Amino acid sequence: MGSTESLPAQGLERLFISITSPIQQGVTKTIHFTRNIWNTYFMTVLAVQENVELKKQLEKTIEIKNQCKELKLENIRLKKFVDFTGLVPDTYVAAQVIARDPSPWFKTIMIDKGEKDGLVKGSPVLVSEGIVGQTIKVAHNYSRVLLITDRNSAVDALVQNSRVRGIVKGNNTVKCSFVYALRKDEVKEGEMIISSGFDQVFPKGLKIGSVLKVTKVHSQLFQDIIIETSVDFDKIEEVLVLKNIR
């Protein structure tokens, strides 16, 4: 009798389970789906934040690397200066190039040394590669330098091998002219031009440039000689100034 009464209850329970199970399963899937969406969202947010932080760290690392590279290059340039000044008994002062004349009619630079550092008008300005120019205006803390590429510049010079004498004149371009070399004198392409010391400005034997092109015209007394300067004027950042020369 007891087993007969329990059948309907078990049947109802099975019916209830069969009805509610799909619903519960759907709810469970929805909860898992929603949880996965939130987890994905938070993971994405964290990834974005991490990427931003990593990007900042990368930029900082690149900046430090660039600074180290600049210091290395500066040390190389300064070592050349030390080696150069060690070979010459005169006194030099190192200066930074702080400005360049933007005008196409003048080739000058500004340096951060002046009268207080022992500079005077006409002080020779050099780098380890050769002659840069001379000071034309000297203030207490700053000086303006006329480059040898300026058309107003003139340096008494010699062909190093043959000792042919001439004057290096600026052309307001990256090249200079070696003028007043007689047509009968032998000057070859590739020969080095150095300062003669006769102008009482630049010491003897400093590099100026190499002969790039030689043109001889029979009707002219002098040769037309173009030289390429030893100094790359677009890249100079530090210079040496010879002081107390006079």
Side-chain angles (χ1 to χ4, degrees), residues 3-176:
S3 60
T4 305
E5 290 178 354
S6 63
L7 288 173
Q10 292 177 358
L12 288 173
E13 186 178 356
R14 291 194 190 95
L15 179 61
F16 177 77
I17 292 172
S18 65
I19 294 173
T20 57
S21 292
I23 297 174
Q24 290 177 348
Q25 187 178 12
V27 171
T28 302
K29 288 183 178 180
T30 302
I31 291 172
H32 288 165
F33 179 72
T34 304
R35 185 180 299 166
N36 289 335
I37 289 177
W38 278 107
N39 288 338
T40 302
Y41 170 74
F42 284 120
M43 289 295 291
T44 302
V45 171
L46 290 175
V48 170
Q49 292 175 346
E50 186 178 7
N51 284 340
V52 171
E53 186 63 28
L54 288 174
K55 185 177 180 181
K56 290 180 181 178
Q57 293 179 9
L58 179 61
E59 290 174 350
K60 189 174 182 180
T61 302
I62 292 174
E63 181 181 354
I64 294 173
K65 182 180 179 182
N66 288 336
Q67 290 175 350
C68 291
K69 185 176 181 180
E70 284 299 313
L71 287 174
K72 182 179 179 181
L73 292 173
E74 185 177 10
N75 285 337
I76 291 173
R77 293 194 301 268
L78 292 178
K79 186 178 184 302
K80 289 182 180 179
F81 283 175
V82 171
D83 294 340
F84 176 72
T85 54
L87 296 174
V88 185
D90 297 300
T91 302
Y92 292 85
V93 58
Q96 291 273 347
V97 177
I98 58 174
R100 298 174 184 271
D101 197 325
S103 169
W105 296 284
F106 302 99
K107 298 296 179 182
T108 64
I109 56 174
M110 189 78 73
I111 58 175
D112 64 348
K113 294 294 188 292
E115 290 177 346
K116 70 178 181 62
D117 305 290
L119 274 59
V120 296
K121 183 179 179 180
S123 296
V125 181
L126 320 166
V127 291
S128 57
E129 291 80 11
I131 294 177
V132 173
Q134 62 178 300
T135 56
I136 53 173
K137 290 183 180 179
V138 180
H140 186 66
N141 294 310
Y142 305 98
S143 299
R144 185 175 295 279
V145 178
L146 181 73
L147 304 180
I148 61 171
T149 53
D150 190 282
R151 60 185 176 183
N152 296 308
S153 173
V155 181
D156 202 293
L158 295 170
V159 179
Q160 190 172 39
N161 292 333
S162 63
R163 317 309 285 180
V164 172
R165 187 179 173 187
I167 301 292
V168 173
K169 291 278 294 178
N171 294 322
N172 278 22
T173 66
V174 294
K175 304 293 189 298
C176 292

